[in-house]
Coordinates of all heavy atoms in Angstrom, one line a residue:
Chain B
R68 N 62.2 47.4 79.9 CA 62.5 48.8 80.0 C 62.9 49.5 78.7 O 62.5 50.6 78.3 CB 63.4 49.1 81.2 CG 62.6 48.8 82.5 CD 63.5 49.2 83.7 NE 62.7 48.8 84.9 CZ 63.1 48.0 85.8 NH1 64.4 47.5 85.8 NH2 62.4 47.7 86.8
L71 N 60.0 50.2 76.7 CA 59.2 51.2 77.3 C 59.8 52.6 77.4 O 59.1 53.6 77.6 CB 58.9 50.7 78.8 CG 57.4 50.4 79.2 CD1 56.6 49.9 78.1 CD2 57.4 49.6 80.4
R72 N 61.1 52.6 77.1 CA 61.8 53.9 77.3 C 61.2 55.1 76.6 O 61.1 56.2 77.3 CB 63.3 53.7 76.8 CG 64.2 54.9 77.1 CD 65.5 54.5 77.5 NE 65.5 53.4 78.5 CZ 66.4 52.3 78.5 NH1 67.3 52.3 77.6 NH2 66.3 51.5 79.5
P73 N 60.7 55.1 75.4 CA 60.1 56.3 74.8 C 59.0 56.8 75.6 O 58.6 57.9 75.4 CB 59.7 55.8 73.4 CG 60.6 54.6 73.1 CD 60.8 53.9 74.4
L74 N 58.4 55.9 76.4 CA 57.2 56.3 77.2 C 57.6 56.7 78.7 O 56.8 57.2 79.4 CB 56.2 55.2 77.3 CG 55.5 54.9 76.0 CD1 54.8 53.5 76.0 CD2 54.5 56.0 75.6
T75 N 58.9 56.5 79.0 CA 59.3 56.8 80.4 C 60.3 57.9 80.5 O 60.6 58.3 81.6 CB 59.9 55.5 81.0 OG1 60.9 55.0 80.2 CG2 58.8 54.4 81.2
E76 N 60.7 58.4 79.3 CA 61.7 59.5 79.4 C 60.9 60.8 79.7 O 59.7 60.8 79.8 CB 62.3 59.6 78.0 CG 63.4 58.6 77.8 CD 64.0 58.6 76.4 OE1 63.2 59.1 75.5 OE2 65.1 58.2 76.1
D77 N 61.7 61.9 79.9 CA 61.2 63.1 80.4 C 60.1 63.6 79.4 O 59.0 64.0 79.8 CB 62.3 64.1 80.6 CG 62.9 63.9 82.0 OD1 62.3 63.1 82.8 OD2 63.9 64.5 82.2
D78 N 60.5 63.8 78.1 CA 59.4 64.3 77.3 C 59.0 63.1 76.3 O 59.9 62.5 75.7 CB 59.7 65.5 76.6 CG 61.1 65.7 76.0 OD1 61.7 64.6 75.8 OD2 61.6 66.8 75.9
V79 N 57.8 62.9 76.2 CA 57.2 61.7 75.5 C 56.6 62.3 74.1 O 55.9 63.2 74.1 CB 56.2 61.0 76.3 CG1 55.6 59.8 75.5 CG2 56.8 60.6 77.6
E133 N 54.5 49.7 86.6 CA 55.4 50.4 85.6 C 54.8 50.5 84.3 O 54.9 51.6 83.6 CB 56.7 49.6 85.6 CG 58.0 50.4 85.4 CD 59.2 49.5 85.6 OE1 59.2 48.7 86.5 OE2 60.2 49.7 84.8
T136 N 52.0 53.2 84.3 CA 52.6 54.6 84.4 C 53.0 54.9 83.0 O 52.8 56.1 82.5 CB 53.8 54.6 85.3 OG1 53.4 54.2 86.6 CG2 54.4 56.0 85.4
A137 N 53.7 54.0 82.3 CA 54.2 54.3 80.9 C 53.0 54.6 80.0 O 53.0 55.5 79.2 CB 55.0 53.2 80.4
A140 N 51.7 58.1 80.6 CA 52.5 59.1 80.0 C 52.3 59.1 78.5 O 52.2 60.3 77.9 CB 54.0 58.7 80.3

Side-chain angles (χ1 to χ4, degrees):
Chain B
R68 289 183 186 124
L71 241 34
R72 186 139 314 141
L74 293 163
T75 51
E76 281 172 336
D77 277 349
D78 42 25
V79 179
E133 213 167 320
T136 304

